[in-house]
Amino acid sequence: MTLISSFDPWRSGLCTCPSKLTFNPYTGCDHHCLYCYATSYIPNFKQIHPKKDCLAMLRREAIKLNGQTISLSNSSDPYPKMDATEGLTRRCLEILAGCNCQLQIITKSNLVTRDDDLLCQVPATVALTITTDNEFIANIIEPNAPTPNQRIRAAQELQKAGIPVSVRIDPLIPHINDQPQKLIKTLADIGVKHITCSTYKAKPDNWNRLYQALPKVMEQLKPLYSAEGEKVGGSTLLPNEYRYKLLKNIRDTVLAQGMQFGVCREALHGLSTAACDGSWLMPQRSP
């Protein structure tokens, strides 16, 4: 059993990320997002615990690396609430930085700003997920995550610390958060250079959670997913033409604000103007 592995979440052509490695310090997540995909393949996902013997195993594996990009984390957020006291993620970052790794953080948590002193010393980027700037909607679909305003402030703080930030407006759910123009303008104003979007991929468990919370909206979406949706693996996507139009409209807004745009797991590669994971923002090492 290893902690560090190659990144490709579905082992399919849907993933367009550049080659990299991935590592999760924790199993489970406490954001409790209704649309979460990981609950369909990780048992007891709401029960968070650090990986067993995490630091010792990471030291043994990291010493074999040679400057690779390590992505934290692609299944479980690296900054659950317990990390405010545990500090496990920071200790992991220290080990990886000491082995000359490049660091890519993917999180919904403003706790990432705690580690800005470390992240600004190595090639690093942070991808913050800000699904909506509507506090009311966010409280419904992401009930235990930091508020949108907290995450926007975190993006601003990281930018000021010299750490490049990309923002994931993800997933886009029609009639819920599919008009993010105001959020995009806000992000451009604070210096964010890259936006990544993907549409909601329906699975039975996340559909049921969303339906219980927002039955009228999900009834509107039912024909798009059940009758016209595109089956990919164990998920159902919006119809291709619908996805293209939705994402292109957002792309046009992003480009008009002087930012780059990426789509994630959509098979609509022509819409992206830069790598979807924001890795192009990674500072180059000094010669």
Side-chain angles (χ1 to χ4, degrees), residues 113-132:
T113 58
R114 178 199 64 192
D115 296 333
D116 60 7
D117 62 321
L118 174 59
L119 294 171
C120 69
Q121 296 176 27
V122 297
T125 64
V126 174
L128 266 170
T129 298
I130 307 176
T131 314
T132 177

Side-chain angles (χ1 to χ4, degrees), residues 229-248:
E230 182 179 344
K231 303 289 185 181
V232 178
S235 302
T236 305
L237 282 61
L238 288 165
N240 186 278
E241 185 177 348
Y242 191 109
R243 299 200 322 274
Y244 180 85
K245 183 177 179 181
L246 171 59
L247 290 164
K248 186 180 183 303

Side-chain angles (χ1 to χ4, degrees), residues 147-200:
T147 67
N149 282 336
Q150 287 175 318
R151 284 177 261 172
I152 290 169
R153 287 196 297 271
Q156 190 167 23
E157 289 178 32
L158 291 166
Q159 291 279 143
K160 287 182 178 178
I163 302 158
V165 175
S166 61
V167 169
R168 299 183 64 92
I169 304 177
D170 172 32
L172 291 166
I173 309 175
H175 312 304
I176 294 178
N177 69 326
D178 60 344
Q179 300 293 324
Q181 288 78 11
K182 177 174 168 286
L183 173 58
I184 291 167
K185 175 67 165 59
T186 298
L187 296 171
D189 288 345
I190 65 174
V192 171
K193 297 293 191 295
H194 182 258
I195 302 292
T196 291
C197 292
S198 71
T199 58
Y200 166 60

